[in-house]
Amino acid sequence: MSDQTSDKRLSRRALLAGGALVAGVPRSGWPVARTAAPTTRIQVGGTTTTTLLKNTTIVTVDRSLGVLNDCDLLIDGEQIAEMRPGIEAGQAQVLDASDMIVMPGLINAHIHTWETVLRGAGADWHDHEYFEVVLGMLGEHFSPDEIYLSVLAGALNQIDSGCTTIFEWFHNTATPDHTDAVIQALEESGIRAVFGHGTLKPNPKPGERHFSEIPHPAHEIKRLREGRFAANGDGLISLAMCILGPDYAGIDVNRHDFALAKEYDLMTSAHIWGGDSRKTPDGYRTIVAEGLMDPRHNGAHANFIDDDEVKLLVDLGGSITATPAIEVGVPRPPQISQVIRAGGRPSIGIDTEIECSGCMFDTMKASDQLQTAFDSIGAYDPSAVRESSGRPDIDGIVTARDVSTSSLDVLEWATINNAHALGLGSQTGSLAPGKKADLVLLRRGDLNLFPVTDPVQSIAVHANQSNVDTVFINGVLMKQHGRLLFDQKALASIRTRLEAARWRLFNLAAEFGRPLG
Ligand SMILES: [Zn+2]
């Protein structure tokens, strides 16, 4: 309450500027300068960076390897060097992981961390309110520093919750400074990321073109591709284009945007729903017929597109990412069973912490439960004659699914499938020698996990953020003993500044006649 009271004294000019709240505060919070490494590497002998995890259970999420019990895992530099029992420690730092489950770092294939500042403001909203308030009204008033703070806090929370890679779907590129603030925050967080450069969807002002008529800004893609991302694909952060796509733009803009992505060799992604309001009639059918489709294309949501359109996308090598915790208000299933029927790999993500938890463990559960509910309801035929189960008390409630999924399937959605959707399948998403050392250790002795009968089910059904003991990204230790290694004083400063930014935006919303909270 006191925060709110003091911030109410801020002038309208200060509210609209938004910069003075964070001026002069150093940004990086990791113990070692970001130019060297995002955190303290475990170093032995001064130069070698090796870590040996001893006597552990490894859930590889690699179907050819399965679950490895009483096994060792050697991290050498950025990579997993070996996974077998009895690895000699040599010069390696040894971690006793006998009471841990080792798993691949989770991957979040769709999130707008730039919205973290409004975390929890919209859990009770109807869907249209997000578009009105965040994209239409407030988005264009975010300062670069507010974007920076949101992305850094959001990305650190992803790491803390066992997620080592995100697709940052950034559609608030008001100025190059906003874009650069995101890239800086992602770099400082130490997370592996695909940075998706998108465009905002504001309410048009008199005399302005509607956002759906504006092609993707080629000068910005050129600036990024010839500057920070000249060697795109090397390093922790890569560049993609988040275009308007067939739902939010007509065919002319799509012709421009797909051609721009092709010119700069960039993966594309688009928000997709389907239905009657699409700006390009027949959606991907038209995009494909025009020869525009990028085989690496990713569509998010897509709840209303039909089986044939899903198959068209999947057959061309594309992916669809469902965000079930957000889509729960949509009267159509998430894109999981439809993708499976089309022969594709389901992919899942968070979308926005304005309305739901940012934890991928939560999203795994929500995805499986929501899809199962839709499948069961769809397959239920109350008039069907059923054989007695021998238990007359349950005969009347037996349901059926046309697609069955296992806990391993669900874990794949959040790991290797998401890696493939982001073009990172050869680097991360599963554990095997030669892959990047992006991995998470869960405490198997925690009250919500023991006794561990099947570690895959433990992860997919029971685990949560509190079980994440240790996180490595690219071989670098980011969290240990349940504590993020990011400097706690810097984190406290980020919190203070982010809360100030939150009140500025809340006050601004009130001035616009749409109070929040
Ligand atoms: Zn989204």
Side-chain angles (χ1 to χ4, degrees):
M1 183 61 77
S2 59
D3 282 351
Q4 186 176 21
T5 304
S6 63
D7 278 316
K8 278 181 175 171
R9 291 198 292 269
L10 291 170
S11 70
R12 177 180 171 80
R13 193 171 164 191
L15 289 170
L16 288 167
L21 298 169
V22 293
V25 181
R27 286 182 160 175
S28 180
W30 291 106
V32 174
R34 187 67 187 94
T35 49
T39 187
T40 305
R41 286 177 180 263
I42 298 175
Q43 294 190 341
V44 177
T47 54
T48 309
T49 305
T50 55
T51 306
L52 180 60
L53 309 181
K54 285 297 288 181
N55 303 320
T56 194
T57 301
I58 304 174
V59 175
T60 66
V61 198
D62 179 324
R63 298 248 174 183
S64 69
L65 298 174
V67 176
L68 308 175
N69 293 303
D70 301 318
C71 193
D72 300 344
L73 185 150
L74 181 65
I75 299 169
D76 187 2
E78 298 177 356
Q79 293 188 324
I80 298 169
E82 282 189 274
M83 296 193 314
R84 62 175 174 82
I87 299 175
E88 293 293 327
Q91 295 296 306
Q93 168 88 21
V94 178
L95 297 183
D96 175 8
S98 57
D99 210 23
M100 301 284 175
I101 299 169
V102 179
M103 60 176 284
L106 294 167
I107 299 176
N108 185 345
H110 190 89
I111 188 168
H112 310 286
T113 58
W114 68 268
E115 297 170 352
T116 307
V117 66
L118 299 178
R119 178 184 275 157
D124 297 334
W125 284 350
H126 294 290
D127 270 352
H128 63 89
E129 292 180 89
Y130 168 81
F131 296 96
E132 289 170 8
V133 174
V134 182
L135 302 185
M137 186 179 78
L138 282 181
E140 60 186 322
H141 297 286
F142 275 55
S143 71
D145 273 313
E146 286 165 345
I147 295 284
Y148 163 82
L149 292 166
S150 288
V151 172
L152 184 51
L156 290 174
N157 181 52
Q158 290 296 303
I159 298 169
D160 191 60
S161 61
C163 179
T164 53
T165 301
I166 60 172
F167 185 6
E168 171 57 32
W169 218 103
F170 182 61
H171 50 344
N172 197 350
T173 48
T175 69
D177 286 346
H178 289 72
T179 297
D180 292 346
V182 177
I183 297 166
Q184 180 178 343
L186 291 172
E187 287 176 341
E188 290 183 9
S189 78
I191 203 164
R192 189 182 301 281
V194 174
F195 167 61
H197 182 280
T199 52
L200 195 62
K201 302 176 176 73
N203 297 329
K205 297 175 183 59
E208 282 184 356
R209 279 190 298 172
H210 191 266
F211 65 78
S212 63
E213 300 168 6
I214 302 174
H216 208 95
H219 58 281
E220 267 296 273
I221 297 302
K222 180 176 180 353
R223 180 180 75 89
L224 293 167
R225 197 66 176 87
E226 295 179 354
R228 167 65 179 79
F229 295 100
N232 199 26
D234 294 347
L236 277 180
I237 304 173
S238 56
L239 178 66
M241 273 176 59
C242 293
I243 60 175
L244 291 169
D247 280 42
Y248 286 97
I251 190 63
D252 287 342
V253 168
N254 275 293
R255 286 184 186 123
H256 171 276
D257 291 354
F258 276 105
L260 184 63
K262 190 172 182 182
E263 179 184 353
Y264 287 99
D265 189 24
L266 296 174
M267 169 192 163
T268 55
S269 178
H271 280 137
I272 300 295
W273 293 104
D276 298 333
S277 61
R278 314 177 85 172
K279 298 286 186 190
T280 297
D282 290 330
Y284 287 119
R285 290 182 176 86
T286 303
I287 300 294
V288 172
E290 288 244 353
L292 303 176
M293 181 55 81
D294 158 22
R296 298 168 296 181
H297 183 75
N298 166 261
H301 314 303
N303 303 67
F304 290 89
I305 71 174
D306 62 29
D307 282 354
D308 290 344
E309 194 172 352
V310 172
K311 187 155 178 50
L312 190 64
L313 196 58
V314 166
D315 285 351
L316 283 165
S319 62
I320 300 177
T321 299
T323 63
I326 288 291
E327 298 158 17
V328 69
V330 177
R332 289 280 299 160
Q335 275 292 357
I336 294 174
S337 291
Q338 255 181 294
V339 169
I340 294 171
R341 285 196 297 269
R345 303 183 182 99
S347 159
I348 58 176
I350 298 289
D351 206 6
T352 176
E353 288 198 70
I354 295 175
E355 299 181 39
C356 72
S357 157
C359 177
M360 282 298 295
F361 287 104
D362 293 343
T363 295
M364 275 193 281
K365 299 177 186 75
S367 302
D368 188 33
Q369 291 163 355
L370 187 59
Q371 184 64 65
T372 302
F374 270 103
D375 287 347
S376 295
I377 292 166
Y380 181 55
D381 178 2
S383 67
V385 176
R386 297 176 186 280
E387 284 189 29
S388 171
S389 66
R391 283 290 304 263
D393 53 329
I394 63 168
D395 281 351
I397 59 170
V398 171
T399 58
R401 301 178 61 177
D402 63 342
V403 172
S404 89
T405 53
S406 68
S407 295
L408 180 56
D409 293 324
V410 176
L411 182 53
E412 285 180 338
W413 304 344
T415 51
I416 188 64
N417 287 14
N418 280 348
H420 284 301
L422 302 184
L424 299 172
S426 64
Q427 297 184 42
T428 188
S430 62
L431 301 181
K435 281 208 148 185
K436 297 293 188 185
D438 293 356
L439 47 90
V440 168
L441 278 64
L442 302 179
R443 284 185 299 270
R444 61 187 298 154
D446 283 357
L447 194 57
N448 62 319
L449 293 185
F450 75 79
V452 174
T453 302
D454 171 0
V456 174
Q457 293 188 40
S458 297
I459 295 168
V461 178
H462 300 286
N464 60 48
Q465 185 161 351
S466 75
N467 305 124
V468 176
D469 181 87
T470 303
V471 177
F472 286 90
I473 299 179
N474 214 37
V476 176
L477 187 62
M478 314 296 282
K479 182 176 183 180
Q480 191 173 30
H481 308 313
R483 193 170 182 84
L484 207 61
L485 297 180
F486 196 85
D487 180 75
Q488 293 300 303
K489 270 180 70 176
L491 200 54
S493 169
I494 290 167
R495 178 187 172 188
T496 301
R497 295 151 60 197
L498 192 67
E499 290 187 343
R502 187 266 306 265
W503 285 120
R504 187 190 81 84
L505 291 165
F506 268 46
N507 288 338
L508 196 55
E511 289 200 11
F512 289 145
R514 175 60 171 86
L516 304 176

